[in-house]
Amino acid sequence: MGKTLDNAYKYQSLAYKYVLYAVSVALIVFFFPREGKFKYEFQKGKPWQYENLYAPIDFSIKKTDEEIAEEQRFIRENKTDYYSYDAVVPKEVKASVEQELTTIFRQQSEGNRFEQRIRNLADSTIDSIYKYGILQDMPMADAVFIIKNNEAITVSASNLTNLSDARQKIQQIVRGSNTRNIPLATLIGRVLEPNVFFNKSLTEKALEEEMSQISFTRGEVSEGRLIIAKGEVVEDENLKVLNSLKQEYESELWRGDNFLYILLGYAILVALVLMMLFLFIKQYRSEVFKNNNKLTFIFVNILLMVLATTLMVKNQENYVYVVPLCILPLILKNFFDARLGLFVHVLTVLILGFVVPNSFEYMFLQIIAGIVTILTGSELYRRANLFISVGQITLIYIIGYFAFHIIHEGNLEGIEWTLFGIFVLNGLLTLFAQPLIYIYEKIFGLVSDVSLLELSDTNSKLLKELSNKAPGTFHHSLQVANLAEAAANEIKANSMLTRVGALYHDIGKMNNPAYFTENQTTNINPHDDLPPKESAKIIIDHVIEGIEIARKNNLPDRVIDFLRTHHGTTTVFYFLRKQQENEPDTDPQDFKYPGPTPFSKETAILMMADAVEAASKSLKNPTYQVIDDFVEKIVKGQMQADQFVNANITLKEIEVVKKVLKQKLTNIYHLRVEYPE
């Protein structure tokens, strides 16, 4: 029955991996832009490496975005403003002037001929002033269109006038006429009103119409025409033709039934890349491959990077470097190791190379930035290290872009300074790795160096409780932590994880602290009143009880692994021998720890350090030779009991660990000079 359940679990786990693989391939292909891929790679300033290229179809030469933007700018700067002419205002002005003159002539006894001449002069002056109208605000353009009687009349700026200019013009007209004591210029100037107003809606409509007439192409290329010859340098003119052919080719390629073949091609390439990832993890990171939670975590990060980049390519292609791709190796290195982080980063960049513009340049910069991330992004729990790493990544982007620009242009002109701002923004977004690590810990139940640093604080709730309830065990754990950390550093294991595991490995002793010798402060031993079998059970149960306490306090599984394995499947020899004195046929299995045996370098180091430190308390007159033989005996016994067969630790590394333990114990038990009393 148990074998059947094991097989079912095994096949269920394998089936999940297949589903994860298939779903990841499908999602990545779904994220990709809906267009084909041009079969030629080319860059400005580099020779054409293929055979002579002839136009396979008729196509238009498309203008660049810069050319279109320049045309739009020119139209905006030279647009024609439209003004509306109000014909009612001149009539109202004439009526007001007529009324004023009638009042004046009633008070004065002038002749009819003079009166008529003044009225005619007033009317002609007003007509002259309002010939093109009076503007409220003078335009900036050299000429405008004035809508008068439903007709648009082009008027030069020199013929336009405002209220101030109109009053001066009236003074000039009236000055040469004999008006006697009639203040005609003042009278007309007082009642003048503007009658030409800017027509915003009509102006904008005309601008839109001009904009809509901009051509996005500038010529045609006929089928069969030579576009570029082999070895010819790709320069401005043929670069535009090649880019136009590329756009036409990719859009044509996606039409009809071709898109099914394109999807199939993308799916095959992405499947190959992800298969390489699976094979790498299975071959070199078997513990990660067996853990579906960790596999899911890796693939979720890849999918997020692909999604963010493809969305940027579809919407703002020029800002593709805003996506902080270096977050990926930073996070994976923090949770796993540098090699896995770099491998996943490179494969992700290969996938994105299918869709990003200037794929060679993009892949080069991203891979170099990823390598710098791996080399510099260590100990992220130290905030300064993260800032230094991000600064170096940003600098690599800037230097790389600068070098590519020189290669393409041959000079320093035309540098897009906005890209430097984009690289800085990329660096700022990379700083988000810190809170993202915390979020991932909560979602996937993983543990990072940041969390390990928090757990290593001896003022934490659980370690304080251990120091209060079992001070001897707490002191023993500190000693073991120091030994294990030093050994882990020497063989390049995870020293932070090893130290934290050592600090918590014996928390199960808090339930019955008096039954463990390090906590016994008197000569009274409670085991003296218990049968050996029951005493052994209490000793062995501290492992299970420790796991329960750890789970209640939400310790990470990677730390709980140290509690489970620090005694492996060893035997409590002392109580076994006592039991065998009374019952020679005693089953040794009743006196064995439940296991499992250590399955990593870190847990193996803890088992050696724990056994050596605990047994060292029995040394009465320690010398270097005594300590050397003592360590060799304990570790040899563990190896003969097959405690390290599942751990990825080599014999050479075990020898290094023993050497460190000997040195540390020699320092602890060094002989002191006897001072005279």
Side-chain angles (χ1 to χ4, degrees):
M1 182 66 179
K3 188 175 181 181
T4 304
L5 290 175
D6 288 343
N7 287 333
Y9 176 78
K10 179 181 177 182
Y11 289 123
Q12 180 186 5
S13 177
L14 192 60
Y16 177 83
K17 292 178 176 64
Y18 282 124
V19 171
L20 178 65
Y21 175 76
V23 169
S24 298
V25 172
L27 285 176
I28 289 173
V29 174
F30 176 77
F31 294 153
F32 278 1
R34 296 292 185 266
E35 60 183 25
K37 195 73 176 174
F38 194 48
K39 56 185 176 181
Y40 301 109
E41 282 285 339
F42 57 89
Q43 286 185 333
K44 183 180 178 181
K46 288 192 174 182
W48 180 256
Q49 299 176 349
Y50 310 96
E51 295 299 325
N52 294 355
L53 178 64
Y54 298 90
I57 54 174
D58 294 333
F59 65 94
S60 303
I61 303 175
K62 294 179 172 57
K63 294 178 181 177
T64 63
D65 293 339
E66 291 76 14
E67 289 175 328
I68 295 171
E70 179 62 25
E71 286 189 34
Q72 291 174 339
R73 184 189 64 78
F74 179 81
I75 290 173
R76 288 193 188 95
E77 290 179 355
N78 296 277
K79 73 180 189 329
T80 302
D81 293 332
Y82 284 85
Y83 288 79
S84 297
Y85 184 92
D86 190 349
V88 176
V89 173
K91 294 177 181 179
E92 291 177 347
V93 171
K94 282 184 178 182
S96 298
V97 172
E98 186 73 25
Q99 188 177 357
E100 289 281 349
L101 289 174
T102 301
T103 304
I104 291 172
F105 289 135
R106 280 179 188 169
Q107 297 173 356
Q108 298 180 9
S109 56
E110 300 287 350
N112 290 334
R113 185 175 294 177
F114 174 77
E115 182 178 337
Q116 187 60 43
R117 186 171 65 80
I118 294 299
R119 291 183 189 276
N120 291 339
L121 178 60
D123 286 345
S124 63
T125 301
I126 293 171
D127 288 338
S128 175
I129 294 299
Y130 280 104
K131 179 179 180 181
Y132 299 111
I134 300 174
L135 280 75
Q136 191 168 23
D137 298 304
M138 293 294 286
M140 300 296 293
D142 294 333
V144 298
F145 277 104
I146 295 179
I147 309 302
K148 187 175 181 181
N149 298 325
N150 295 326
E151 292 182 2
I153 304 171
T154 305
V155 180
S156 172
S158 60
N159 293 325
L160 299 174
T161 182
N162 56 17
L163 279 175
S164 176
D165 294 338
R167 291 188 177 106
Q168 291 179 8
K169 191 174 181 181
I170 291 170
Q171 292 284 357
Q172 294 172 0
I173 294 172
V174 175
R175 187 178 299 125
S177 303
N178 181 17
T179 58
R180 299 182 185 176
N181 59 347
I182 304 296
L184 186 59
T186 304
L187 191 150
I188 297 174
R190 189 169 60 244
V191 296
L192 279 181
E193 292 289 342
N195 73 321
V196 177
F197 305 97
F198 179 65
N199 192 324
K200 184 179 179 181
S201 61
L202 189 58
T203 301
E204 290 180 351
K205 186 177 180 181
L207 177 62
E208 289 175 7
E209 188 175 346
E210 284 191 73
M211 288 289 192
S212 66
Q213 292 175 359
I214 293 176
S215 174
F216 292 93
T217 61
R218 56 178 187 85
E220 298 284 333
V221 176
S222 303
E223 182 180 353
R225 173 186 158 186
L226 176 64
I227 296 176
I228 190 168
K230 184 176 182 180
E232 186 179 348
V233 177
V234 179
E235 295 178 328
D236 284 342
E237 204 56 39
N238 51 25
L239 177 63
K240 292 173 183 176
V241 178
L242 285 170
N243 281 326
S244 299
L245 176 60
K246 179 181 178 181
Q247 292 177 32
E248 187 71 21
Y249 182 85
E250 291 177 346
S251 61
E252 285 289 336
L253 199 61
W254 191 258
R255 294 171 187 164
D257 295 332
N258 290 339
F259 78 96
L260 293 175
Y261 291 102
I262 295 172
L263 286 177
L264 178 62
Y266 275 143
I268 291 172
L269 292 175
V270 173
L272 283 174
V273 172
L274 295 186
M275 186 184 295
M276 295 304 103
L277 177 58
F278 261 109
L279 292 176
F280 174 84
I281 295 174
K282 185 178 181 181
Q283 181 72 23
Y284 299 104
R285 299 293 182 272
S286 57
E287 71 282 0
V288 176
F289 186 79
K290 293 173 185 176
N291 191 318
N292 286 338
N293 183 53
K294 292 180 179 179
L295 272 180
T296 305
F297 170 72
I298 293 172
F299 275 81
V300 164
N301 275 278
I302 294 174
L303 290 173
L304 286 176
M305 290 296 110
V306 173
L307 173 61
T309 305
T310 51
L311 283 176
M312 191 62 70
V313 170
K314 290 177 184 178
N315 297 292
Q316 291 290 338
E317 188 178 275
N318 295 331
Y319 293 90
V320 68
Y321 285 103
V322 168
V323 180
L325 207 62
C326 289
I327 278 185
L328 185 61
L330 266 179
I331 289 175
L332 293 182
K333 180 184 178 183
N334 190 73
F335 284 112
F336 302 107
D337 60 85
R339 189 178 178 187
L340 178 60
L342 182 59
F343 193 82
V344 173
H345 176 73
V346 170
L347 291 184
T348 305
V349 172
L350 287 178
I351 292 174
L352 294 175
F354 299 145
V355 296
V356 296
N358 298 322
S359 56
F360 173 77
E361 179 179 326
Y362 178 86
M363 292 168 65
F364 182 89
L365 287 178
Q366 294 293 8
I367 290 175
I368 292 296
I371 294 172
V372 171
T373 303
I374 291 297
L375 294 176
T376 61
S378 59
E379 297 182 337
L380 290 187
Y381 54 85
R382 302 182 190 278
R383 289 171 294 182
N385 288 358
L386 180 59
F387 280 96
I388 292 170
S389 178
V390 167
Q392 292 172 334
I393 293 167
T394 305
L395 186 61
I396 286 296
Y397 278 128
I398 292 173
I399 294 173
Y401 164 72
F402 182 77
F404 273 111
H405 179 82
I406 293 175
I407 292 172
H408 294 163
E409 302 296 336
N411 54 54
L412 298 178
E413 297 177 2
I415 291 179
E416 297 182 31
W417 297 104
T418 54
L419 269 177
F420 293 106
I422 289 172
F423 294 141
V424 172
L425 180 58
N426 178 293
L428 294 175
L429 290 175
T430 305
L431 293 174
F432 190 67
Q434 195 74 279
L436 199 59
I437 287 170
Y438 177 79
I439 293 170
Y440 280 144
E441 285 181 336
K442 299 305 177 185
I443 295 176
F444 292 94
L446 301 173
V447 59
S448 67
D449 287 348
V450 179
S451 295
L452 290 175
L453 183 66
E454 294 174 355
L455 290 171
S456 67
D457 184 4
T458 54
N459 289 316
S460 65
K461 178 184 175 184
L462 196 55
L463 291 181
K464 268 196 168 184
E465 186 179 355
L466 177 65
S467 66
N468 290 331
K469 291 183 177 179
T473 299
F474 177 72
H475 179 72
H476 159 72
S477 298
L478 286 176
Q479 294 279 46
V480 172
N482 292 332
L483 293 173
E485 183 181 20
N489 274 324
E490 202 66 27
I491 66 170
K492 308 303 180 188
N494 190 331
S495 58
M496 179 68 75
L497 177 63
T498 307
R499 179 175 183 81
V500 172
L503 287 173
Y504 290 89
H505 79 282
D506 270 345
I507 56 175
K509 293 180 179 180
M510 286 193 293
N511 289 351
N512 296 294
Y515 287 87
F516 299 91
T517 55
E518 67 266 24
N519 298 312
Q520 294 170 0
T521 56
T522 64
N523 292 328
I524 300 173
N525 190 343
H527 289 290
D528 295 340
D529 301 326
L530 295 175
K533 199 169 186 178
E534 190 172 336
S535 294
K537 185 177 184 306
I538 293 173
I539 299 297
I540 293 171
D541 282 351
H542 89 273
V543 173
I544 304 300
E545 291 169 356
I547 294 172
E548 291 175 355
I549 293 171
R551 294 200 184 283
K552 286 180 182 177
N553 287 270
N554 298 317
L555 288 185
D557 288 338
R558 290 180 73 186
V559 176
I560 295 176
D561 288 341
F562 287 87
L563 279 71
R564 295 165 54 214
T565 61
H566 74 279
H567 285 296
T569 55
T570 57
T571 304
V572 186
F573 285 106
Y574 178 79
F575 292 109
L576 173 61
R577 288 174 181 171
K578 283 189 69 175
Q579 183 70 19
Q580 287 175 338
E581 290 175 1
N582 301 323
E583 298 179 15
D585 297 332
T586 299
D587 186 2
Q589 292 297 325
D590 295 336
F591 292 82
K592 277 192 173 185
Y593 285 96
T597 57
F599 44 78
S600 66
K601 290 181 182 181
E602 292 78 13
T603 51
I605 291 170
L606 175 63
M607 171 176 271
M608 290 183 269
D610 181 42
V612 166
E613 201 286 330
S616 69
K617 297 296 190 291
S618 62
L619 297 176
K620 294 182 180 178
N621 296 308
T623 62
Y624 179 81
Q625 188 60 45
V626 170
I627 291 174
D628 186 279
D629 296 340
F630 164 76
V631 172
E632 289 288 344
K633 178 182 176 182
I634 289 179
V635 176
K636 182 180 179 181
Q638 291 174 336
M639 293 176 67
Q640 289 175 343
D642 295 331
Q643 296 302 304
F644 304 135
V645 293
N646 294 323
N648 60 337
I649 189 169
T650 64
L651 290 173
K652 181 179 179 181
E653 288 171 335
I654 291 175
E655 289 299 319
V656 173
V657 171
K658 289 193 295 186
K659 181 180 177 181
V660 172
L661 294 177
K662 292 171 187 176
Q663 290 174 345
K664 290 292 181 182
L665 288 176
T666 302
N667 291 336
I668 292 171
Y669 295 108
H670 66 281
L671 299 177
R672 294 181 179 273
V673 177
E674 290 188 13
Y675 293 98
E677 296 182 2

